[in-house]
């Protein structure tokens, strides 16, 4: 099982945020926020669909057979998409991004090369903001279900987590649909994280009891889940030259993954040190503080390099 986890983890990285951005970027420039949001929503919908599907398959045919069936179907689908869709580019089909004439590129930061990215304030603040935001988000989500079970029961907690996923899809879709092309995307990211901070504070106000504060907290925290992944690549598109964006996005994603990989364990240690805190006060305070730090990172990167 550990071997399978390492292999699937490596594959997930190669098919995750950086890969999705690399597939979308050649086809969309002006409409990339909407296109990228829609593409990332596929992952969210996959979680909604495959979680109950896995349970049903495992119960029906066993874990090994279920893993073989799902893995085989996935390989066939990805192979067909690669052969029929992903291998094409706008140039190979005689098209241009967005189906429009070439647009002038307005870049606020000069192109970076070599190791200079790691001395670039915009890159460092973008990577740090993404890592901190995802650290708080992944850390809290890893424990949220078990915190909700005593309050809502297992079925209710499951519905609440599903509701958070639906809120993530809604939040990402709204940003992609209504965010103007000229908008300061760092400010949009700050607003998204601020909504999650309010959600974390509402968890505190709920004090381990079912009620409006708890439900609203789940909804607000969920609204920012999807944007934490989709907005940083869009910020990179706005602030770096096109050739550099293809390098910046995988780097910020890798840095974010390296950081939030330790989030569940860190929040677990915090929880174990506060055994009497059954309502998760320490976890919610920690999440709100880290999300606030992410906001400060995004704000610190505004303006000239």
């Amino acid at each position: 099982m550990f071997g399978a986890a390492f292999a699937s983890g490596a594959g997930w990285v190669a098919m995750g945020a950086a890969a999705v951005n690399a597939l979308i970027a050649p086809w969309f420039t002006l409409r990339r926020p909407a296109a990228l949001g829609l593409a990332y929503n596929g992952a969210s919908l996959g979680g909604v669909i495959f979680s109950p599907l896995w349970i049903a398959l495992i119960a029906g045919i066993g874990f090994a057979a279920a893993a073989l069936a799902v893995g085989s179907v996935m390989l066939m689908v990805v192979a067909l998409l690669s052969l029929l869709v992903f291998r094409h580019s706008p140039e190979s089909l005689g098209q241009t991004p967005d189906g429009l004439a070439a647009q002038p590129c307005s870049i606020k930061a000069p192109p970076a090369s070599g190791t200079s990215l790691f001395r670039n304030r915009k890159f460092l603040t973008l990577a740090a903001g993404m890592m901190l935001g995802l650290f708080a988000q992944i850390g809290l989500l890893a424990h949220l279900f078990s915190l909700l079970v005593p309050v809502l029961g297992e079925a209710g907690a499951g519905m609440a987590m599903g509701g958070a996923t639906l809120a993530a899809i809604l939040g990402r879709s709204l940003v992609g649909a209504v965010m103007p092309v000229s908008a300061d995307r760092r400010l949009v990211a700050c607003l998204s994280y601020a909504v999650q901070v309010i959600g974390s504070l509402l968890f505190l106000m709920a004090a381990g009891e079912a009620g409006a504060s708890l439900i609203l907290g789940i909804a607000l925290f969920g609204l920012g889940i999807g944007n934490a992944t989709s907005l940083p690549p869009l910020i990179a598109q706005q602030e770096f030259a096109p050739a550099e964006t293809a390098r910046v996005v995988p780097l910020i994603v890798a840095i974010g993954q390296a950081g939030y990989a330790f989030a569940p364990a860190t929040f677990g240690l915090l929880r174990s040190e506060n055994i009497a805190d059954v309502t998760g006060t320490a976890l919610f305070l920690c999440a709100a503080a880290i999300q606030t730090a992410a906001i400060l990172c995004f704000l610190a990167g505004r303006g000239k390099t």
Side-chain angles (χ1 to χ4, degrees), residues 224-238:
I225 291 175
N227 292 324
T229 305
S230 60
L231 276 173
L234 294 174
I235 294 172
Q237 178 204 10
Q238 191 176 55

mmCIF file with all atom_site columns, all heavy atoms in Angstrom, residues 224-238:
data_model
loop_
_atom_site.group_PDB
_atom_site.id
_atom_site.type_symbol
_atom_site.label_atom_id
_atom_site.label_alt_id
_atom_site.label_comp_id
_atom_site.label_asym_id
_atom_site.label_entity_id
_atom_site.label_seq_id
_atom_site.pdbx_PDB_ins_code
_atom_site.Cartn_x
_atom_site.Cartn_y
_atom_site.Cartn_z
_atom_site.occupancy
_atom_site.B_iso_or_equiv
_atom_site.pdbx_formal_charge
_atom_site.auth_seq_id
_atom_site.auth_comp_id
_atom_site.auth_asym_id
_atom_site.auth_atom_id
_atom_site.pdbx_PDB_model_num
ATOM 1   N N   . GLY A 1 224 ? -13.578 29.241 -0.987  1.00 0.00 ? 224 GLY A N   1
ATOM 2   C CA  . GLY A 1 224 ? -12.201 29.559 -1.340  1.00 0.00 ? 224 GLY A CA  1
ATOM 3   C C   . GLY A 1 224 ? -11.342 28.358 -1.671  1.00 0.00 ? 224 GLY A C   1
ATOM 4   O O   . GLY A 1 224 ? -10.188 28.524 -2.094  1.00 0.00 ? 224 GLY A O   1
ATOM 5   N N   . ILE A 1 225 ? -11.855 27.146 -1.486  1.00 0.00 ? 225 ILE A N   1
ATOM 6   C CA  . ILE A 1 225 ? -11.036 25.946 -1.669  1.00 0.00 ? 225 ILE A CA  1
ATOM 7   C C   . ILE A 1 225 ? -10.488 25.856 -3.086  1.00 0.00 ? 225 ILE A C   1
ATOM 8   O O   . ILE A 1 225 ? -9.292  25.639 -3.304  1.00 0.00 ? 225 ILE A O   1
ATOM 9   C CB  . ILE A 1 225 ? -11.843 24.680 -1.317  1.00 0.00 ? 225 ILE A CB  1
ATOM 10  C CG1 . ILE A 1 225 ? -12.109 24.623 0.197   1.00 0.00 ? 225 ILE A CG1 1
ATOM 11  C CG2 . ILE A 1 225 ? -11.101 23.427 -1.753  1.00 0.00 ? 225 ILE A CG2 1
ATOM 12  C CD1 . ILE A 1 225 ? -13.007 23.467 0.617   1.00 0.00 ? 225 ILE A CD1 1
ATOM 13  N N   . GLY A 1 226 ? -11.347 26.007 -4.070  1.00 0.00 ? 226 GLY A N   1
ATOM 14  C CA  . GLY A 1 226 ? -10.911 25.866 -5.454  1.00 0.00 ? 226 GLY A CA  1
ATOM 15  C C   . GLY A 1 226 ? -10.009 26.996 -5.910  1.00 0.00 ? 226 GLY A C   1
ATOM 16  O O   . GLY A 1 226 ? -9.042  26.770 -6.655  1.00 0.00 ? 226 GLY A O   1
ATOM 17  N N   . ASN A 1 227 ? -10.272 28.213 -5.443  1.00 0.00 ? 227 ASN A N   1
ATOM 18  C CA  . ASN A 1 227 ? -9.484  29.364 -5.872  1.00 0.00 ? 227 ASN A CA  1
ATOM 19  C C   . ASN A 1 227 ? -8.052  29.309 -5.370  1.00 0.00 ? 227 ASN A C   1
ATOM 20  O O   . ASN A 1 227 ? -7.153  29.908 -5.971  1.00 0.00 ? 227 ASN A O   1
ATOM 21  C CB  . ASN A 1 227 ? -10.150 30.660 -5.397  1.00 0.00 ? 227 ASN A CB  1
ATOM 22  C CG  . ASN A 1 227 ? -11.460 30.923 -6.104  1.00 0.00 ? 227 ASN A CG  1
ATOM 23  O OD1 . ASN A 1 227 ? -11.605 30.634 -7.281  1.00 0.00 ? 227 ASN A OD1 1
ATOM 24  N ND2 . ASN A 1 227 ? -12.429 31.462 -5.389  1.00 0.00 ? 227 ASN A ND2 1
ATOM 25  N N   . ALA A 1 228 ? -7.805  28.604 -4.269  1.00 0.00 ? 228 ALA A N   1
ATOM 26  C CA  . ALA A 1 228 ? -6.449  28.492 -3.750  1.00 0.00 ? 228 ALA A CA  1
ATOM 27  C C   . ALA A 1 228 ? -5.532  27.781 -4.733  1.00 0.00 ? 228 ALA A C   1
ATOM 28  O O   . ALA A 1 228 ? -4.315  27.991 -4.721  1.00 0.00 ? 228 ALA A O   1
ATOM 29  C CB  . ALA A 1 228 ? -6.469  27.734 -2.417  1.00 0.00 ? 228 ALA A CB  1
ATOM 30  N N   . THR A 1 229 ? -6.113  26.948 -5.597  1.00 0.00 ? 229 THR A N   1
ATOM 31  C CA  . THR A 1 229 ? -5.326  26.238 -6.609  1.00 0.00 ? 229 THR A CA  1
ATOM 32  C C   . THR A 1 229 ? -5.323  26.962 -7.942  1.00 0.00 ? 229 THR A C   1
ATOM 33  O O   . THR A 1 229 ? -4.294  27.012 -8.635  1.00 0.00 ? 229 THR A O   1
ATOM 34  C CB  . THR A 1 229 ? -5.889  24.815 -6.818  1.00 0.00 ? 229 THR A CB  1
ATOM 35  O OG1 . THR A 1 229 ? -5.945  24.142 -5.564  1.00 0.00 ? 229 THR A OG1 1
ATOM 36  C CG2 . THR A 1 229 ? -5.011  24.025 -7.763  1.00 0.00 ? 229 THR A CG2 1
ATOM 37  N N   . SER A 1 230 ? -6.442  27.547 -8.322  1.00 0.00 ? 230 SER A N   1
ATOM 38  C CA  . SER A 1 230 ? -6.560  28.112 -9.669  1.00 0.00 ? 230 SER A CA  1
ATOM 39  C C   . SER A 1 230 ? -6.053  29.547 -9.788  1.00 0.00 ? 230 SER A C   1
ATOM 40  O O   . SER A 1 230 ? -5.615  29.958 -10.869 1.00 0.00 ? 230 SER A O   1
ATOM 41  C CB  . SER A 1 230 ? -8.026  28.046 -10.137 1.00 0.00 ? 230 SER A CB  1
ATOM 42  O OG  . SER A 1 230 ? -8.868  28.776 -9.258  1.00 0.00 ? 230 SER A OG  1
ATOM 43  N N   . LEU A 1 231 ? -6.096  30.344 -8.710  1.00 0.00 ? 231 LEU A N   1
ATOM 44  C CA  . LEU A 1 231 ? -5.697  31.745 -8.827  1.00 0.00 ? 231 LEU A CA  1
ATOM 45  C C   . LEU A 1 231 ? -4.188  31.965 -8.955  1.00 0.00 ? 231 LEU A C   1
ATOM 46  O O   . LEU A 1 231 ? -3.760  32.826 -9.747  1.00 0.00 ? 231 LEU A O   1
ATOM 47  C CB  . LEU A 1 231 ? -6.245  32.546 -7.633  1.00 0.00 ? 231 LEU A CB  1
ATOM 48  C CG  . LEU A 1 231 ? -7.693  33.025 -7.792  1.00 0.00 ? 231 LEU A CG  1
ATOM 49  C CD1 . LEU A 1 231 ? -8.198  33.646 -6.499  1.00 0.00 ? 231 LEU A CD1 1
ATOM 50  C CD2 . LEU A 1 231 ? -7.816  34.027 -8.940  1.00 0.00 ? 231 LEU A CD2 1
ATOM 51  N N   . PRO A 1 232 ? -3.330  31.247 -8.225  1.00 0.00 ? 232 PRO A N   1
ATOM 52  C CA  . PRO A 1 232 ? -1.884  31.494 -8.389  1.00 0.00 ? 232 PRO A CA  1
ATOM 53  C C   . PRO A 1 232 ? -1.378  31.346 -9.826  1.00 0.00 ? 232 PRO A C   1
ATOM 54  O O   . PRO A 1 232 ? -0.595  32.197 -10.277 1.00 0.00 ? 232 PRO A O   1
ATOM 55  C CB  . PRO A 1 232 ? -1.251  30.463 -7.435  1.00 0.00 ? 232 PRO A CB  1
ATOM 56  C CG  . PRO A 1 232 ? -2.259  30.321 -6.336  1.00 0.00 ? 232 PRO A CG  1
ATOM 57  C CD  . PRO A 1 232 ? -3.575  30.372 -7.052  1.00 0.00 ? 232 PRO A CD  1
ATOM 58  N N   . PRO A 1 233 ? -1.775  30.316 -10.605 1.00 0.00 ? 233 PRO A N   1
ATOM 59  C CA  . PRO A 1 233 ? -1.335  30.290 -12.006 1.00 0.00 ? 233 PRO A CA  1
ATOM 60  C C   . PRO A 1 233 ? -1.840  31.488 -12.810 1.00 0.00 ? 233 PRO A C   1
ATOM 61  O O   . PRO A 1 233 ? -1.144  31.958 -13.735 1.00 0.00 ? 233 PRO A O   1
ATOM 62  C CB  . PRO A 1 233 ? -1.939  28.980 -12.537 1.00 0.00 ? 233 PRO A CB  1
ATOM 63  C CG  . PRO A 1 233 ? -2.099  28.117 -11.335 1.00 0.00 ? 233 PRO A CG  1
ATOM 64  C CD  . PRO A 1 233 ? -2.479  29.060 -10.242 1.00 0.00 ? 233 PRO A CD  1
ATOM 65  N N   . LEU A 1 234 ? -3.030  31.989 -12.474 1.00 0.00 ? 234 LEU A N   1
ATOM 66  C CA  . LEU A 1 234 ? -3.549  33.154 -13.177 1.00 0.00 ? 234 LEU A CA  1
ATOM 67  C C   . LEU A 1 234 ? -2.776  34.416 -12.800 1.00 0.00 ? 234 LEU A C   1
ATOM 68  O O   . LEU A 1 234 ? -2.587  35.309 -13.628 1.00 0.00 ? 234 LEU A O   1
ATOM 69  C CB  . LEU A 1 234 ? -5.032  33.329 -12.851 1.00 0.00 ? 234 LEU A CB  1
ATOM 70  C CG  . LEU A 1 234 ? -5.955  32.224 -13.356 1.00 0.00 ? 234 LEU A CG  1
ATOM 71  C CD1 . LEU A 1 234 ? -7.379  32.436 -12.855 1.00 0.00 ? 234 LEU A CD1 1
ATOM 72  C CD2 . LEU A 1 234 ? -5.934  32.148 -14.886 1.00 0.00 ? 234 LEU A CD2 1
ATOM 73  N N   . ILE A 1 235 ? -2.317  34.493 -11.554 1.00 0.00 ? 235 ILE A N   1
ATOM 74  C CA  . ILE A 1 235 ? -1.463  35.610 -11.147 1.00 0.00 ? 235 ILE A CA  1
ATOM 75  C C   . ILE A 1 235 ? -0.141  35.549 -11.907 1.00 0.00 ? 235 ILE A C   1
ATOM 76  O O   . ILE A 1 235 ? 0.376   36.569 -12.377 1.00 0.00 ? 235 ILE A O   1
ATOM 77  C CB  . ILE A 1 235 ? -1.222  35.574 -9.624  1.00 0.00 ? 235 ILE A CB  1
ATOM 78  C CG1 . ILE A 1 235 ? -2.535  35.818 -8.871  1.00 0.00 ? 235 ILE A CG1 1
ATOM 79  C CG2 . ILE A 1 235 ? -0.189  36.617 -9.211  1.00 0.00 ? 235 ILE A CG2 1
ATOM 80  C CD1 . ILE A 1 235 ? -2.436  35.615 -7.374  1.00 0.00 ? 235 ILE A CD1 1
ATOM 81  N N   . ALA A 1 236 ? 0.410   34.337 -12.040 1.00 0.00 ? 236 ALA A N   1
ATOM 82  C CA  . ALA A 1 236 ? 1.664   34.175 -12.782 1.00 0.00 ? 236 ALA A CA  1
ATOM 83  C C   . ALA A 1 236 ? 1.497   34.614 -14.235 1.00 0.00 ? 236 ALA A C   1
ATOM 84  O O   . ALA A 1 236 ? 2.395   35.244 -14.815 1.00 0.00 ? 236 ALA A O   1
ATOM 85  C CB  . ALA A 1 236 ? 2.116   32.717 -12.718 1.00 0.00 ? 236 ALA A CB  1
ATOM 86  N N   . GLN A 1 237 ? 0.356   34.296 -14.840 1.00 0.00 ? 237 GLN A N   1
ATOM 87  C CA  . GLN A 1 237 ? 0.099   34.707 -16.220 1.00 0.00 ? 237 GLN A CA  1
ATOM 88  C C   . GLN A 1 237 ? 0.131   36.222 -16.347 1.00 0.00 ? 237 GLN A C   1
ATOM 89  O O   . GLN A 1 237 ? 0.624   36.767 -17.344 1.00 0.00 ? 237 GLN A O   1
ATOM 90  C CB  . GLN A 1 237 ? -1.251  34.184 -16.696 1.00 0.00 ? 237 GLN A CB  1
ATOM 91  C CG  . GLN A 1 237 ? -1.612  34.611 -18.118 1.00 0.00 ? 237 GLN A CG  1
ATOM 92  C CD  . GLN A 1 237 ? -3.116  34.595 -18.377 1.00 0.00 ? 237 GLN A CD  1
ATOM 93  O OE1 . GLN A 1 237 ? -3.915  34.439 -17.450 1.00 0.00 ? 237 GLN A OE1 1
ATOM 94  N NE2 . GLN A 1 237 ? -3.503  34.746 -19.631 1.00 0.00 ? 237 GLN A NE2 1
ATOM 95  N N   . GLN A 1 238 ? -0.390  36.923 -15.331 1.00 0.00 ? 238 GLN A N   1
ATOM 96  C CA  . GLN A 1 238 ? -0.494  38.373 -15.379 1.00 0.00 ? 238 GLN A CA  1
ATOM 97  C C   . GLN A 1 238 ? 0.847   39.059 -15.107 1.00 0.00 ? 238 GLN A C   1
ATOM 98  O O   . GLN A 1 238 ? 1.098   40.157 -15.620 1.00 0.00 ? 238 GLN A O   1
ATOM 99  C CB  . GLN A 1 238 ? -1.520  38.847 -14.344 1.00 0.00 ? 238 GLN A CB  1
ATOM 100 C CG  . GLN A 1 238 ? -1.916  40.302 -14.447 1.00 0.00 ? 238 GLN A CG  1
ATOM 101 C CD  . GLN A 1 238 ? -3.002  40.648 -13.450 1.00 0.00 ? 238 GLN A CD  1
ATOM 102 O OE1 . GLN A 1 238 ? -2.859  40.424 -12.250 1.00 0.00 ? 238 GLN A OE1 1
ATOM 103 N NE2 . GLN A 1 238 ? -4.109  41.179 -13.942 1.00 0.00 ? 238 GLN A NE2 1
#
